[in-house]
Amino acid sequence: MRTLLLVGGVDDTAVAAKELGLRVLLLQHPTKITERQRQVADVVEVLDYTDWTLTAPVVTRLHQRWRIDQVVSLTEPGLDIAARARDLLGLDGTSYPVSRRFRDKLAMRRHLVSRDAEAVAAAPLRDFDDLRAFGVRHGYPFVVKPTAATASIGVFRVDDPSGHEAVWEQVCRLRGTRTDRVSTLLVLDDFLMEEYVHGREFSVETFSFAGRHVVVTITEKMTDPGHFAELGHAVPARLTEDAWDRVGECVATFLDHLGFTDGPCHTEVRLSGTRARIIEGHHRYGGDAIPELVRAVYGIDLDRLAVGWPFRLVDPLPDSPAPRGAGCVRAVVGPPGRVLSVEGVPEAARQPDVLAVRISARPGDEVRPLRDNWDRLGLVAVTGPTVVAAAQRGARLVDEFIRIRIRDDRGAVHLARVAEVHQLTGAVG
């Protein structure tokens, strides 16, 4: 039996590996371990796997006992650790230097500029004067964000010099803090500045087979110009054939530049005029129920591909798959205040065409102004014959079933709602 070392992740990944006949050794963080994972995995080691000084001896011990054949991680905090483990054991796959090009956004920008003079400019943000210098050199607006984070946390748009002080105060406040309000897996340390790219944003799910990059889908992002929180996702993106090809070619070039050859990637791009431009990339699949959309619309199980391909237990995709209908994720949001009660989640999950209902809000939780993905109260994922129909279906699902009552600071009680978006035909929801 061949042995997989799985670093972090969700239940579905471990289940997919066992269904393929692999022996699963799981490294899981104490805040993320589930009973299902304990049942499915052959060996479970619970530790802060993000600390390589703790993890390296465990990897060595497990390898001596079980002879690890491959290491996989599909969660952001585990990507570098999995790469280090592969390097330590002399295994094929994404190396640590390649992994760092993805995970360190400043390193990624510098790597791209060395290969494309027109790539997005970026610079480290070390002190207050760096903001002024970047604005003078590259103009406004520009973006400030952490060099290694997810979920749009700590991302700010600087529109003119008057915004320098407010952004610098936020950067100083966030440095050394955790990237989310649920776990302790990532810490915000360094920040960078980069040129702002105008245009509609999309994410691209790819799977690479020995250097051949296949676009599984392009996801249409639902956003708001007032902040960086993602309000929804829809597949397949409503793009012309020419635009679809341009986005796909841009991402394939990006993956080649970074030296990536095998596995899933989630790459964010913006269509600026006629050109697709890279925002950032992750060598894992996307979150926010995007794998559920891919499975429903294309019949492709990204977990199965990700754990099966390193062992050649699955066939490579010959080309981009054709969609069977559409799918949409809608975010649930509410006004600032305190959650009083949460109702209707099981009922919503039982409805036809519903793929996922994930409500993170709990009674007593603070509801903050919407700035990043962690300020959302949850999401629903549904299918439909078209993107617009699926988006409307998601909005109705929230309106009809989800009851999250919130009391604001003046004592008034409100119901959470589906986040309003304008990228579809008019405002949906």
Side-chain angles (χ1 to χ4, degrees):
M1 179 181 289
R2 285 178 283 186
T3 301
L4 169 68
L5 177 64
L6 184 62
V7 183
V10 296
D11 297 3
D12 288 349
T13 311
V15 170
K18 288 303 298 178
E19 289 177 347
L20 286 166
L22 298 171
R23 178 187 292 117
V24 177
L25 315 180
L26 174 64
L27 303 185
Q28 189 56 282
H29 194 274
T31 64
K32 299 297 184 181
I33 188 68
T34 68
E35 187 56 35
R36 180 62 171 153
Q37 291 168 10
R38 292 186 184 276
Q39 294 170 353
V40 170
D42 297 277
V43 176
V44 178
E45 296 277 352
V46 179
L47 74 162
D48 180 4
Y49 64 74
T50 65
D51 185 341
W52 180 241
T53 63
L54 298 177
T55 304
V58 175
V59 171
T60 300
R61 171 168 52 81
L62 291 174
H63 185 59
Q64 291 170 345
R65 173 66 177 86
W66 301 103
R67 198 181 73 82
I68 295 167
D69 295 296
Q70 193 49 264
V71 185
V72 169
S73 184
L74 298 173
T75 183
E76 191 75 17
L79 296 171
D80 279 353
I81 297 300
R84 282 179 178 265
R86 280 189 293 269
D87 291 350
L88 175 68
L89 302 179
L91 302 175
D92 294 335
T94 303
S95 66
Y96 181 65
V98 172
S99 181
R100 289 307 300 166
R101 289 176 201 152
F102 281 92
R103 297 224 49 250
D104 184 331
K105 296 177 175 63
L106 182 59
M108 181 269 284
R109 288 294 183 206
R110 286 171 166 168
H111 195 78
L112 294 182
V113 166
S114 71
R115 284 153 176 76
D116 178 4
E118 296 183 2
V120 174
L125 175 55
R126 299 190 180 97
D127 57 48
F128 180 80
D129 289 339
D130 290 336
L131 294 166
R132 179 192 59 79
F134 193 87
V136 169
R137 182 170 184 179
H138 299 288
Y140 296 88
F142 64 84
V143 172
V144 170
K145 64 183 183 182
T147 58
T150 62
S152 301
I153 194 165
V155 182
F156 308 99
R157 173 171 155 158
V158 183
D159 289 311
D160 55 55
S162 67
H164 291 175
E165 288 190 11
V167 168
W168 181 247
E169 287 177 3
Q170 292 279 17
V171 168
C172 292
R173 179 182 64 82
L174 287 171
R175 273 185 172 144
T177 65
R178 300 293 173 179
T179 62
D180 66 41
R181 302 159 187 108
V182 179
S183 70
T184 58
L185 300 191
L186 295 171
V187 178
L188 299 174
D189 284 322
D190 298 324
F191 283 73
L192 74 148
M193 304 164 290
E194 66 182 23
E195 291 179 281
Y196 182 83
V197 179
H198 295 274
R200 288 289 306 279
E201 189 164 345
F202 302 85
S203 64
V204 186
E205 300 302 318
T206 56
F207 204 98
S208 301
F209 303 92
R212 183 176 63 89
H213 312 299
V214 177
V215 174
V216 177
T217 191
I218 299 178
T219 303
E220 191 169 337
K221 285 196 174 190
M222 302 176 189
T223 58
D224 187 286
H227 52 73
F228 287 94
E230 295 172 342
L231 303 180
H233 308 277
V235 299
R238 296 168 301 155
L239 290 168
T240 65
E241 184 176 348
D242 177 65
W244 188 284
D245 289 343
R246 274 186 281 123
V247 170
E249 290 168 4
C250 172
V251 171
T253 300
F254 166 70
L255 297 180
D256 285 342
H257 282 341
L258 265 63
F260 187 79
T261 60
D262 290 273
C265 272
H266 171 76
T267 309
E268 298 172 5
V269 304
R270 283 197 174 188
L271 274 177
S272 185
T274 60
R275 185 181 180 189
R277 308 194 76 186
I278 297 293
I279 301 302
E280 61 188 48
H282 307 269
H283 50 305
R284 55 167 173 78
Y285 53 56
D288 271 6
I290 288 177
E292 284 85 345
L293 298 185
V294 169
R295 187 181 300 115
V297 175
Y298 296 95
I300 292 175
D301 186 330
L302 292 175
D303 280 297
R304 184 179 177 85
L305 268 181
V307 296
W309 175 246
F311 298 90
R312 301 306 188 260
L313 294 175
V314 294
D315 294 327
L317 299 175
D319 204 347
S320 297
R324 303 175 300 196
C328 189
V329 170
R330 301 297 302 270
V332 181
V333 299
R338 188 75 57 180
V339 176
L340 295 176
S341 61
V342 179
E343 300 173 349
V345 174
E347 293 81 4
R350 289 195 293 265
Q351 300 308 303
D353 305 322
V354 174
L355 304 176
V357 178
R358 298 176 185 166
I359 302 299
S360 57
R362 298 290 183 268
D365 285 355
E366 179 188 3
V367 182
R368 296 167 296 271
L370 199 57
R371 299 165 314 220
D372 57 57
N373 291 0
W374 293 108
D375 294 324
R376 303 173 309 184
L377 305 181
L379 60 81
V380 298
V382 301
T383 59
T386 67
V387 162
V388 172
Q392 293 170 339
R393 171 74 175 117
R396 289 196 304 272
L397 184 73
V398 174
D399 289 344
E400 293 172 7
F401 293 97
I402 305 297
R403 293 288 179 268
I404 303 175
R405 297 171 63 244
I406 302 164
R407 176 179 287 129
D408 66 22
D409 58 4
R410 289 183 283 188
V413 176
H414 309 266
L415 281 177
R417 56 181 175 80
V418 70
E420 186 175 275
V421 295
H422 298 273
Q423 286 93 335
L424 301 168
T425 304
V428 176

